């Protein structure tokens, strides 16, 4: 009798578990890669300055990015020796590595306007993406840090607080443009790509820059002393000066930028 009772009890306890194990589970859902978020719409804004409208005296704004690396003395010595004004966009990383060049800029306030190129040379795009293989800031907070971090480094180096910003790659999404503008910055596009990111040869760089017309804003780089492009930049500056070009900094003239970068 005891054996029967124990067997019955064992069956009563075991049934629920056995029954549960036998319940067919929901069919497994196929797991694949998560759908990719749509790529952000990027813009590469243009910028023009007010023309001189004087025959033979085109007005041009030279702008140089100092991203990382060292100062290109070929360009810097030409700007100083020829007394050619320019707007220099500096990153916090470049400032730290080039105190001697920064001193030259500060000793020539009539020539150089120093502006903001970001803390770590990260594209000012507030959604995650890759631009020329460089990861974007990826969030509004990271865009703000890229802008504010460089501005703080500039002021710490004795540079006046910047008013213009140009991000790495010069590409933005529209929401980031709005965020940067709300921080009080104008965003510097350009109309002539002088050196193709400092990757072009000397001859083509010289031709590109020397072809700038009245009202153009030229972008080139002043941080790649080993690249052939720097030689072309220096020659083009002399070419333009010989033609009677009027060189101005961005702070000196009226300007017009598209994509709401300067409105």
């Amino acid at each position: 009798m005891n054996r029967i009772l124990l067997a019955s009890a064992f069956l009563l306890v075991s049934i629920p578990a056995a029954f549960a194990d036998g319940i067919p589970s929901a069919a497994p859902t196929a797991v694949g890669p998560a759908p990719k978020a749509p790529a952000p719409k990027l813009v590469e804004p243009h910028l023009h300055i007010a023309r001189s409208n004087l025959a033979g005296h085109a007005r041009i704004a030279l702008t140089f990015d100092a991203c990382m690396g060292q100062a290109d003395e070929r360009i810097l010595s030409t700007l100083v020796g020829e007394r050619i004004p320019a707007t220099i966009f500096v990153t916090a990383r470049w400032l730290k590595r080039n105190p001697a060049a920064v001193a030259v800029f500060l000793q020539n306030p009539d020539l150089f306007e120093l502006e903001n190129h970001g803390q770590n040379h990260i594209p000012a795009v507030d959604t995650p993406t890759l631009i020329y293989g460089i990861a974007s800031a990826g969030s509004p907070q990271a865009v703000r840090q890229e802008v504010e971090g460089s501005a703080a480094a500039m002021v710490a180096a004795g540079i006046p607080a910047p008013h213009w910003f140009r991000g790495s790659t010069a590409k933005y999404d529209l929401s980031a443009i709005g965020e940067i503008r709300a921080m009080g910055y104008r965003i510097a596009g350009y109309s002539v790509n002088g050196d193709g990111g400092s990757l072009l040869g000397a001859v083509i760089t010289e031709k590109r820059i020397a072809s700038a017309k009245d009202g153009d804003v030229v972008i080139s780089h002043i941080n790649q002393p080993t690249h052939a492009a720097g030689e072309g930049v220096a020659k083009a500056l002399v070419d333009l000066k010989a033609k009677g070009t009027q060189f101005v900094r961005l702070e000196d003239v009226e300007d017009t930028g598209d994509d709401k970068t300067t409105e």
Side-chain angles (χ1 to χ4, degrees):
M1 177 64 69
N2 289 339
R3 289 180 180 177
I4 295 172
L5 291 174
L6 287 171
S8 300
F10 178 81
L11 288 172
L12 289 173
V13 171
S14 301
I15 285 173
F19 183 76
D21 288 344
I23 296 176
S25 60
T29 302
V31 178
K36 290 183 179 180
K41 178 183 177 182
L42 302 181
V43 296
E44 191 167 357
H46 295 93
L47 180 67
H48 288 86
I49 56 171
R51 299 175 179 176
S52 71
N53 292 318
L54 297 174
H57 296 282
R59 178 184 292 155
I60 294 170
L62 298 171
T63 69
F64 292 94
D65 289 357
C67 314
M68 293 169 280
Q70 302 296 325
D72 191 330
E73 291 295 335
R74 296 168 299 181
I75 299 172
L76 183 54
S77 62
T78 300
L79 291 170
V80 174
E82 298 290 337
R83 307 308 294 170
I84 295 175
T87 303
I88 315 294
F89 287 86
V90 298
T91 67
R93 295 173 67 176
W94 190 89
L95 287 176
K96 186 176 181 180
R97 295 188 62 179
N98 294 274
V102 173
V104 172
F105 290 147
L106 295 177
Q107 290 162 6
N108 293 274
D110 58 322
L111 294 182
F112 299 114
E113 170 191 0
L114 300 179
E115 297 293 351
N116 190 338
H117 194 36
Q119 182 176 19
N120 290 306
H121 202 245
I122 296 172
V125 174
D126 60 15
T127 55
T129 191
L130 289 176
I131 307 171
Y132 304 135
I134 305 173
S136 66
S139 70
Q141 295 78 12
V143 169
R144 176 174 289 275
Q145 179 59 43
E146 177 72 358
V147 177
E148 291 183 341
S150 181
M154 293 174 71
V155 172
I159 299 169
H163 302 287
W164 285 88
F165 177 80
R166 175 183 286 155
S168 167
T169 75
K171 291 181 182 288
Y172 315 83
D173 54 351
L174 296 178
S175 53
I177 287 176
E179 293 154 12
I180 297 166
R181 294 286 288 126
M183 295 170 66
Y185 285 88
R186 301 168 79 78
I187 297 176
Y190 62 91
S191 58
V192 174
N193 185 338
D195 63 0
S198 190
L199 298 177
L200 297 177
V203 173
I204 190 170
T205 296
E206 180 182 3
K207 288 181 178 178
R208 280 194 179 195
I209 298 175
S211 69
K213 296 178 175 59
D214 197 14
D216 272 334
V217 175
V218 179
I219 181 175
S220 296
H221 292 76
I222 196 168
N223 66 299
Q224 295 290 355
T226 64
H227 290 193
E231 178 186 346
V233 172
K235 288 182 178 179
L237 301 183
V238 176
D239 295 343
L240 287 170
K241 184 177 180 181
K243 289 166 58 176
T245 300
Q246 177 188 354
F247 299 102
V248 295
R249 302 170 299 183
L250 293 182
E251 66 182 356
D252 297 330
V253 287
E254 297 290 328
D255 55 75
T256 304
D258 56 15
D259 297 309
K260 298 184 178 180
T261 51
T262 62
E263 291 179 2

